Amino acid sequence: MIEILKSNLKTEIETKLQNHYSEKINLVVETPKNSELGDISIPVFSIVKVVRRPLLEVVEIVREMIESSKYKDNFSEIKKISGFINIKLNRIKVSQAVINEFSSNQNYGNSNIGIGKTVVIDYSSPNIAKPFSVGHLRSTVIGHAIGNILEKLSYKVVRINHLGDFGTQFGKIIYAYLNFGDKEKVKKNPIDELVKLYVKFHKIAKDKPEIEEKAREIFKELEQKNPKYVELWEYFREVSLKEYMKVYKLLNVEFDHYDGEAFYNDKMASVVKELREKSLLKKDQGAMIVDLGEEYPPALIQKRDGSTLYITRDLAALFYRKRTYDFDEVLYVVGNEQKLHFDQLKAVVRKMGYDYYQDIHHINFGLVLQNGKKMSTREGKVVKLIDVLNEASKLSLKYINEKNPSLENKEEIAKKVGVSAIIFNDLKNYRANDIEFNLKDMVNFVGQTGPYLQYTSVRISSILKENQIDKDSIDYNYYTNDYSYELIKTIDEYRDILLKAKSEYSPSVLAKYLLTLASYFNSFYSQEKVMVEDLIERNSKLYLISIVRYILDDGMKLLGMKVIKKM
RNA sequence: GCGCUCAUAGCUCAAUUGGAUAGAGCGUUUGACUACGGAUCAAAAGGUUUCGGGUUCGACUCCUGAUGAGCGCGCCA
């Protein structure tokens, strides 16, 4: 509501200024950083610059324009402070508008900006026959949350898990499996065993480099669909996927497609052909490249031996997705270190003459660090996500036993709290930054954490549980005190926050907002008794906190967290 | 060597994208339960925004140089 008022006011005053000074001025209308100053703030420096009149004179003119605004009924105070004009709004009017909007919308916070638009999101994408590491966690939860936010804004979302299920390493694993693998062991514990075989392969290859050649041959035959190898490949893929599904189930993550790299195997020849027809291919040191001039290093399309590379596969996938889903945007949730790759990809697409290179977005993210270094076990191995999730659940169970030992379904709730804590920790900071992974801080339940949000929602639930709310007997006067009004204004921001999270492709915008909302609620709660005698007052407060809970729960769900009623 | 990120309180991070007194959480110190959930709240201490120069009425934000950290740069993905 306030955002709309701001933009209406902006338009109105800009027109008035244009009439007055016959100059076009871009007026800044913002929210003061300190809410004691007011609800809307207009710095007039930019006007002064254009019209070259004394500051105080301009301030006075603008103040008069605001005073005579057609929206003036909404204002309760207009104040000049140095170069700023600060407006306080009529709190009753604001509350009324915000509450009404909430009441009349079944899906508060939504928007129709995405109607008719399709966004393809490529995320998670673990590598077959390798453990699902904490490294994949980031891509998974960021992609999932962005997808949810987009759906809330009415976009059609196509979720693709671009599995790493192809490449020379499969030749190695198949070779190792056939020559020194134990079928029973692999069956029992597929990924761990396959990793061991892969490691063993490299150990042996040190003394017997000729097996590298064997592995390459096997891979080549796999590409040519040698049924024996295809069967093994399918087997590895299946057992790996089965393991990943356990993680996805815990995280509540789903995909529309699991088309991995192999899926595009037969779609690459046409890419090479098209590049050749458009005279973009150039032979260089035996390989085929697309020259990207000064801007970027050349893109390597084809190896000396004729086989294709990463970028070729990504081109094939891109064209397939464009044909199949006719996307308006395609998002690749992939780490920072691949920035150059996506820059090259875009550049090649542009050179091929497709405008939609502009719709390709690399949703980059930083590393997961522990004590400032890339996270790994003591032996230097990758940390398995499932272990981390279990550990977090165990720790939250410990806390529940301390804080609320009589709680029912403790294990189940501990799991929801622990997993959500990890998800929230991943999403609360801007994605391109590295994140520090400290289990204790995440599940410590104190401060800016997932459990803090869940706890706040649970507190509200326990009040609401026993009470009916009558939406028709609300007195907006109860929303005018500072604590309530902060809540009203924050509730009002929800949609804009989601839109901002979308435009930045950063769930952290939402995560940070939820922390603010929860914090305002807890302040409110410590100052304002809800269960008062007066029925109208009680009802008004109950309704307010029920809205807070709605947003907390809705927001947590969008982030991929679990909503609980008790903890 | 070239390119891309980043540097804010002891620690983890914000800062309306160039606006007012740079804000939160953790940690530290202190206070608040015969209260609707204290996993909470309130308060204090903590800053030359890495360093220099520039642009601007105004710079954490833009330009430039330095220092430090990370990442990438033709036959992996």
Side-chain angles (χ1 to χ4, degrees):
Chain A
M1 180 265 174
I2 296 180
E3 269 315 302
I4 295 167
L5 184 58
K6 274 158 75 179
S7 90
N8 286 343
L9 186 63
K10 176 177 153 81
T11 319
E12 187 194 7
I13 304 296
E14 277 177 351
T15 320
K16 283 184 174 173
L17 283 168
Q18 182 148 24
N19 292 339
H20 190 270
Y21 289 112
S22 38
E23 297 253 26
K24 195 165 164 49
I25 289 156
N26 180 28
L27 191 71
V28 180
V29 179
E30 56 190 22
T31 308
K33 63 167 58 167
N34 186 341
S35 66
E36 281 167 30
L37 291 169
D39 303 308
I40 297 177
S41 167
I42 300 177
V44 299
F45 309 104
S46 54
I47 310 170
V48 171
K49 201 172 195 175
V50 178
V51 303
R52 287 181 217 171
R53 299 293 309 159
L55 179 73
L56 291 178
E57 180 189 313
V58 176
V59 170
E60 183 49 31
I61 286 169
V62 177
R63 193 191 63 76
E64 280 168 19
M65 288 174 174
I66 295 170
E67 211 126 79
S68 63
S69 159
K70 44 182 164 175
Y71 308 106
K72 64 170 185 261
D73 288 352
N74 293 292
F75 308 151
S76 68
E77 187 184 294
I78 301 164
K79 239 185 184 171
K80 302 181 285 185
I81 302 173
S82 62
F84 295 86
I85 297 169
N86 293 328
I87 305 171
K88 284 190 181 168
L89 297 176
N90 180 320
R91 294 187 172 187
I92 292 189
K93 289 218 167 196
V94 173
S95 309
Q96 224 161 0
V98 172
I99 299 280
N100 281 341
E101 181 165 359
F102 179 84
S103 305
S104 60
N105 187 344
Q106 296 295 313
N107 186 14
Y108 182 74
N110 69 341
S111 156
N112 53 20
I113 60 156
I115 282 184
K117 291 186 186 150
T118 300
V119 179
V120 169
I121 312 185
D122 176 326
Y123 64 103
S124 196
S125 312
N127 297 318
I128 296 297
K130 289 192 181 151
F132 198 103
S133 69
V134 291
H136 296 294
L137 172 71
R138 300 220 66 192
S139 174
T140 307
V141 299
I142 293 168
H144 182 231
I146 291 176
N148 295 345
I149 291 166
L150 288 172
E151 278 170 356
K152 176 104 186 173
L153 302 175
S154 307
Y155 287 88
K156 181 173 181 237
V157 176
V158 182
R159 299 160 186 266
I160 299 178
N161 194 343
H162 190 70
L163 296 169
D165 59 2
F166 218 59
T168 354
Q169 75 266 26
F170 283 93
K172 296 175 184 175
I173 294 170
I174 291 173
Y175 178 89
Y177 180 78
L178 290 175
N179 287 282
F180 36 83
D182 181 329
K183 291 185 177 53
E184 282 310 307
K185 272 191 184 167
V186 172
K187 205 172 184 178
K188 251 190 216 153
N189 205 351
I191 291 184
D192 286 346
E193 282 306 315
L194 291 176
V195 170
K196 273 185 200 162
L197 287 175
Y198 189 69
V199 171
K200 194 169 175 186
F201 176 92
H202 282 284
K203 225 179 240 169
I204 294 175
K206 259 185 199 160
D207 301 324
K208 288 170 67 182
E210 61 271 21
I211 68 171
E212 296 263 11
E213 191 51 46
K214 288 237 164 94
R216 260 194 294 275
E217 270 167 38
I218 290 175
F219 178 63
K220 204 159 193 179
E221 284 188 47
L222 176 64
E223 274 187 293
Q224 289 156 358
K225 308 249 153 116
N226 175 329
K228 184 176 160 196
Y229 297 147
V230 169
E231 196 185 323
L232 276 177
W233 173 82
E234 279 172 349
Y235 169 64
F236 296 154
R237 192 177 187 275
E238 195 193 313
V239 292
S240 302
L241 212 46
K242 214 169 164 184
E243 290 284 306
Y244 305 151
M245 285 309 198
K246 288 183 199 162
V247 175
Y248 292 139
K249 203 177 165 204
L250 263 177
L251 294 174
N252 220 353
V253 169
E254 282 174 5
F255 298 92
D256 299 306
H257 304 284
Y258 291 82
D259 299 332
E261 291 166 358
F263 178 77
Y264 303 100
N265 197 30
D266 59 356
K267 298 174 182 60
M268 283 188 293
S270 64
V271 173
V272 177
K273 188 173 159 231
E274 186 178 341
L275 286 166
R276 184 168 292 127
E277 281 168 2
K278 292 185 171 164
S279 310
L280 294 171
L281 275 190
K282 211 168 100 180
K283 197 160 196 171
D284 193 282
Q285 299 172 36
M288 299 305 281
I289 62 163
V290 175
D291 194 335
L292 299 173
E294 294 289 295
E295 213 180 345
Y296 302 113
L300 224 68
I301 300 293
Q302 211 170 42
K303 295 193 223 173
R304 233 187 309 256
D305 67 5
S307 57
T308 51
L309 284 140
Y310 184 35
I311 198 163
T312 327
R313 215 159 292 144
D314 261 1
L315 285 167
L318 178 75
F319 298 146
Y320 173 83
R321 290 166 183 177
K322 187 67 187 173
R323 276 198 309 276
T324 312
Y325 311 114
D326 191 28
F327 58 75
D328 295 274
E329 291 177 60
V330 58
L331 312 182
Y332 293 87
V333 188
V334 180
N336 281 334
E337 66 278 4
Q338 291 197 34
K339 183 176 188 307
L340 179 61
H341 166 74
F342 287 104
D343 286 342
Q344 289 175 317
L345 183 76
K346 276 194 201 178
V348 173
V349 175
R350 191 187 64 215
K351 283 205 152 207
M352 292 174 85
Y354 298 117
D355 279 344
Y356 61 81
Y357 74 88
Q358 301 172 81
D359 307 323
I360 301 169
H361 301 290
H362 175 208
I363 311 304
N364 59 323
F365 56 83
L367 299 169
V368 180
L369 303 178
Q370 210 165 27
N371 304 320
K373 282 187 290 188
K374 208 167 172 173
M375 190 171 173
S376 61
T377 63
R378 228 165 278 155
E379 303 84 44
K381 287 183 191 159
V382 288
V383 178
K384 284 192 261 180
L385 180 61
I386 197 104
D387 295 341
V388 173
L389 294 176
N390 289 334
E391 220 175 305
S393 305
K394 231 194 278 172
L395 192 54
S396 42
L397 183 61
K398 192 185 134 202
Y399 282 105
I400 289 172
N401 280 328
E402 284 168 16
K403 303 279 182 187
N404 193 0
S406 59
L407 182 69
E408 287 172 42
N409 294 327
K410 276 193 273 194
E411 272 81 11
E412 200 190 317
I413 290 167
K415 210 183 233 179
K416 289 181 175 174
V417 173
V419 170
S420 298
I422 287 178
I423 293 172
F424 188 78
N425 178 69
D426 199 301
L427 296 177
K428 75 174 171 183
N429 294 327
Y430 180 63
R431 35 161 244 269
N433 298 339
D434 294 343
I435 58 169
E436 187 64 31
F437 196 92
N438 183 328
L439 201 64
K440 265 198 183 145
D441 281 355
M442 290 186 301
V443 195
N444 202 7
F445 297 12
V446 178
Q448 301 170 328
T449 63
Y452 176 74
L453 295 182
Q454 286 170 319
Y455 173 71
T456 306
S457 165
V458 163
R459 273 180 125 182
I460 299 174
S461 290
S462 82
I463 303 171
L464 294 177
K465 194 174 53 187
E466 312 272 319
N467 295 284
Q468 289 291 320
I469 303 170
D470 176 9
K471 286 181 202 168
D472 296 322
S473 62
I474 283 168
D475 184 344
Y476 297 100
N477 281 299
Y478 291 112
Y479 300 145
T480 56
N481 63 73
D482 287 350
Y483 292 101
S484 308
Y485 188 58
E486 283 299 346
L487 282 177
I488 291 282
K489 281 201 290 182
T490 310
I491 289 166
D492 181 42
E493 281 179 274
Y494 189 41
R495 172 181 294 124
D496 300 311
I497 288 294
L498 294 175
L499 291 170
K500 190 179 173 202
K502 190 274 163 189
S503 67
E504 292 180 15
Y505 304 106
S506 187
S508 66
V509 173
L510 174 57
K512 289 228 147 83
Y513 165 82
L514 294 177
L515 286 174
T516 306
L517 179 64
S519 164
Y520 280 140
F521 167 78
N522 283 315
S523 299
F524 166 89
Y525 185 80
S526 68
Q527 292 295 322
E528 296 277 327
K529 190 161 167 65
V530 175
M531 295 308 293
V532 289
E533 290 296 316
D534 185 298
L535 280 180
I536 304 259
E537 181 180 355
R538 183 198 289 192
N539 202 51
S540 303
K541 287 176 170 175
L542 284 172
Y543 194 44
L544 180 64
I545 68 170
S546 78
I547 297 174
V548 172
R549 186 185 60 172
Y550 167 86
I551 295 178
L552 285 176
D553 291 357
D554 193 56
M556 284 195 278
K557 278 184 223 157
L558 292 178
L559 293 178
M561 297 166 64
K562 311 277 185 182
V563 170
I564 48 188
K565 294 288 170 223
K566 283 183 179 179
M567 68 190 280

